[in-house]
Amino acid sequence: MGAGLGAPPARPRPSWQTAARMRKRVGALLVLAALAGLVPASAALAGPAVAGAAGQERAARAFLEAELRFEDVFPAGLSQARAEADAVVARVSGECPGALAHAPVGNALDRMQTLEVDELVFAFVLPYDTAALEFAATVSRLRFGESRIGRAVRELAREDRLEVDLRLPSACAAPQQWAAAGFGALPATVLSQLHALDRLTGAGRRVSLASVVGLIAAHGPPAIRPLVARVRRQIHRTATLVERNLNPILVRFLRALDGPGHV
């Protein structure tokens, strides 16, 4: 994704794949729209598994329309999302300012910063967790059958549920634990948390929203391609909105962790 407002400082390495992941999760505000009657019921959501091209098209269209609803209603929760992330910055500023100020530059610091950035991101998306679980339940009922797209959609829903259930330590806990160990090897508990994150948000993740949309674009009927294009444009707009709202908070967060001398 492109640079947002308030670019992060050079020394820390915030992973903007987390912003892409965050955009997907907060997109689950679709459920709020559905509760308000904004999302019509789809024949692809219930009943016996559909077969043939017509059924596949209905299911694919339902998935894409659901994602558009995600993007359309995303801004409604931004105030609370920013407040949750600001609370993490305030906690670090009050409880462990400069916690990473004396950490040596290297892979261990990079990985610790990735964990800390994810803590901030998870706080940002906290207001949407219930909606994300509802969304996962909804898309898992789409009737793609045993097609490649169907398997990817079910895996996406499964990983979304695991991601919502993942709990990270407080933003001060891991840096303080590492500092107590003399900034040597990362503690085993931190490595375990990073492993869990890698499986859900990094290279270990088997599918993503983008990959599912890509499968629909590649294997769906030509009639659905304009809807795919709309979804991709809206995803890009929402990703930009996420960066503009999170980047300034991220700068303050990393500054609080690293101390003014490192920024």
Side-chain angles (χ1 to χ4, degrees):
M1 290 184 290
L5 298 182
R11 179 174 175 269
R13 186 184 60 83
S15 172
W16 281 111
Q17 69 183 6
T18 57
R21 168 172 51 85
M22 174 175 57
R23 184 221 48 75
K24 171 181 61 61
R25 290 181 67 214
V26 297
L29 276 173
L30 162 69
V31 175
L32 303 181
L35 293 175
L38 300 177
V39 182
S42 169
L45 294 177
V50 297
Q56 291 288 319
E57 180 176 348
R58 286 197 298 273
R61 191 174 295 278
F63 183 93
L64 294 170
E65 289 174 349
E67 175 57 22
L68 280 176
R69 298 295 189 225
F70 284 177
E71 311 302 334
D72 286 345
V73 300
F74 167 77
L78 278 175
S79 293
Q80 187 179 355
R82 287 193 302 267
E84 295 286 353
D86 281 333
V88 174
V89 178
R91 190 178 307 122
V92 169
S93 298
E95 297 178 12
C96 59
L100 297 178
H102 302 292
V105 174
N107 182 66
L109 178 60
D110 286 348
R111 301 200 73 195
M112 178 62 73
Q113 287 170 335
T114 295
L115 178 63
E116 292 300 291
V117 168
D118 273 351
E119 167 67 22
L120 187 71
V121 169
F122 273 54
F124 191 96
V125 301
L126 185 63
Y128 309 116
D129 274 358
T130 298
L133 290 173
E134 293 286 346
F135 171 65
T138 297
V139 299
S140 66
R141 293 195 297 270
L142 288 169
R143 300 302 183 180
F144 287 97
E146 290 304 313
S147 67
R148 185 179 176 189
I149 296 173
R151 291 191 295 272
V153 168
R154 289 191 293 274
E155 181 64 16
L156 178 68
R158 186 190 72 83
E159 291 184 346
D160 279 357
R161 287 190 290 264
L162 290 174
E163 191 176 325
V164 169
D165 289 342
L166 182 64
R167 291 295 175 261
L168 296 178
S170 71
C172 285
Q176 288 175 329
Q177 188 178 4
W178 191 32
F183 293 117
L186 291 176
T189 53
V190 173
L191 292 175
S192 176
Q193 291 154 0
L194 283 165
H195 179 67
L197 285 168
D198 287 344
R199 284 189 289 111
L200 290 174
T201 68
R205 189 175 177 101
R206 294 176 61 185
V207 298
S208 66
L209 175 64
S211 67
V212 173
V213 173
L215 281 174
I216 292 173
H219 302 287
I224 212 166
R225 289 173 188 166
L227 185 56
V228 169
R230 283 182 57 202
V231 166
R232 285 173 166 166
R233 287 193 300 270
Q234 190 60 39
I235 285 173
H236 176 74
R237 283 193 289 267
T238 301
T240 301
L241 186 62
V242 167
E243 291 192 18
R244 287 176 176 172
N245 279 269
L246 187 60
N247 261 349
I249 303 174
L250 176 60
V251 170
R252 290 189 286 108
F253 178 62
L254 294 173
R255 188 171 290 144
L257 280 171
D258 281 359
H262 289 297
V263 179

